[in-house]
């Protein structure tokens, strides 16, 4: 990005943030992480991401009306993911591009994302994953990579719409129903199998056969992204089937 020209044609303007550094070990972006700002005022959210005091930023910012600004050059390491993990990688900032979507989030009563805003997010994401060849399974929410700390972009974020626009991995969730489930305090082989599946998909979790607090948070993060009808951290049949189907439908990674 030059001082004036954004790298994505979807972005209208450059609005530079000083909050970035060098990508470690010369890494290139191989993930796309979506966030909501979680602030009631989008102008204030933008100013915060550009304030040196905040030590936070993202590469792009999407307003409620669909306008897009570029804050950080794609070649640089923006500070959006924090302490995170995916597929064994813990320096997510060094290998990702981050998009902040203006939305008050859970603290603001979780208002829905306007269609025009989602159209911009989809177009911007498609442009980024195409240019950087980011695999569909590596388009994720902040909650996926930091399930213990973060809940954004939240269960109202329309991952299905994005998938239909060619961005991200998604399968239709299996219908919820009553029946057998696993939850906090359960132990044994089925829990180990569940944890192994979550880790296989990419989530950062210890496989210890105990449905502990970490497991509950990862299950809730999974639900938020892939089975948003009920986000309760309880591994019911629908959650487990959806996870299984998602793994089975994974596009083969390019060699
Ligand atoms: Zn976030």
């Amino acid at each position: 990005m030059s001082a004036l020209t954004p790298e994505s044609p979807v972005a209208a303007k450059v609005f530079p943030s000083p909050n970035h550094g060098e990508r470690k070990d010369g890494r290139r972006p191989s993930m796309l992480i979506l966030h909501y700002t979680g602030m009631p005022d989008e102008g204030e959210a933008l100013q915060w991401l550009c304030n040196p005091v905040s030590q936070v930023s993202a590469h792009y910012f999407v307003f409620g009306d669909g306008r897009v600004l570029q804050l950080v050059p794609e070649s640089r390491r923006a500070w959006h993911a924090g302490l995170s993990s995916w597929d064994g990688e813990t320096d997510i900032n060094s290998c990702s591009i981050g998009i902040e979507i203006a939305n008050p989030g859970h603290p603001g009563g979780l208002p829905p994302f306007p269609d025009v805003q989602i159209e911009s997010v989809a177009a911007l994401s498609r442009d980024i994953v195409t240019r950087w060849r980011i695999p569909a399974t590596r388009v994720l929410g902040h909650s996926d990579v930091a399930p213990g700390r973060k809940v954004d972009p939240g269960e109202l974020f329309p991952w299905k719409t994005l998938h239909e626009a060619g961005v991200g991995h998604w399968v239709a969730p299996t219908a919820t129903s009553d029946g057998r489930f696993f939850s906090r305090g359960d132990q044994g082989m089925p829990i180990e199998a569940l944890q192994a599946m979550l880790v296989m998909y990419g989530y950062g979790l210890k496989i210890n056969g105990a449905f502990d607090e970490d497991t509950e948070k990862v299950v809730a993060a999974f639900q938020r992204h892939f089975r948003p009808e009920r986000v309760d951290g309880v591994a019911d049949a629908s959650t487990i089937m959806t996870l299984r189907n998602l793994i089975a439908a994974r596009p083969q990674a390019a060699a």
Side-chain angles (χ1 to χ4, degrees):
M1 110 183 161
S2 73
L4 296 172
T5 315
E7 284 163 284
S8 172
V10 180
K13 274 202 285 193
V14 169
F15 190 86
S17 166
N19 300 332
H20 55 83
E22 216 165 293
R23 293 186 182 275
K24 306 276 162 67
D25 306 322
R27 265 178 285 182
R28 293 157 60 91
S30 63
M31 304 179 76
L32 178 63
I33 306 295
L34 305 186
H35 304 258
Y36 68 45
T37 54
M39 289 170 69
D41 186 289
E42 54 183 21
E44 275 174 32
L46 175 62
Q47 293 300 332
W48 182 244
L49 293 165
C50 296
N51 184 338
V53 168
S54 76
Q55 299 277 295
V56 293
S57 62
H59 295 89
Y60 292 95
F61 184 93
V62 183
F63 289 98
D65 67 5
R67 279 175 305 135
V68 179
L69 299 177
Q70 182 167 11
L71 315 187
V72 172
E74 291 180 3
S75 62
R76 302 286 289 172
R77 182 177 179 275
W79 303 337
H80 57 97
L83 192 62
S84 303
S85 165
W86 189 259
D87 205 14
E89 170 66 64
T90 52
D91 185 0
I92 301 296
N93 282 339
S94 273
C95 61
S96 67
I97 287 182
I99 300 176
E100 279 285 356
I101 304 162
N103 181 283
H106 291 84
L110 212 55
F113 297 87
D115 290 347
V116 62
Q117 185 182 35
I118 291 305
E119 281 166 27
S120 284
V121 172
L124 175 63
S125 299
R126 199 167 45 221
D127 170 51
I128 292 167
V129 300
T130 304
R131 282 189 291 107
W132 289 103
R133 299 169 187 262
I134 294 173
T137 49
R138 291 171 71 84
V139 179
L140 298 161
H142 199 184
S143 51
D144 292 309
V145 300
R149 301 185 302 119
K150 295 291 175 179
V151 291
D152 63 305
E155 54 272 31
L156 291 191
F157 186 78
W159 292 103
K160 175 177 189 268
T161 306
L162 241 69
H163 177 72
E164 285 163 357
V167 176
H169 185 43
W170 186 88
V171 295
T174 305
T176 52
S177 62
D178 296 330
R180 186 96 201 270
F181 62 86
F182 301 106
S183 61
R184 204 52 191 278
D186 286 338
Q187 298 218 5
M189 289 290 286
I191 309 306
E192 211 173 297
L194 167 67
Q195 290 171 329
M197 279 202 293
L198 289 163
V199 169
M200 184 189 291
Y201 195 68
Y203 286 93
L205 182 65
K206 254 198 239 81
I207 301 171
N208 60 8
F211 203 116
D212 50 15
E213 188 182 353
D214 288 348
T215 304
E216 186 175 68
K217 285 186 166 161
V218 169
V219 168
F222 173 82
Q223 292 170 332
R224 210 161 249 127
H225 187 153
F226 297 106
R227 210 290 306 271
E229 183 185 333
R230 196 157 73 208
V231 179
D232 56 6
V234 172
D236 55 14
S238 149
T239 301
I240 294 168
M241 281 308 295
T242 304
L243 172 57
R244 194 166 287 166
N245 292 341
L246 202 63
I247 291 170
R250 262 195 310 197
Q252 289 306 303

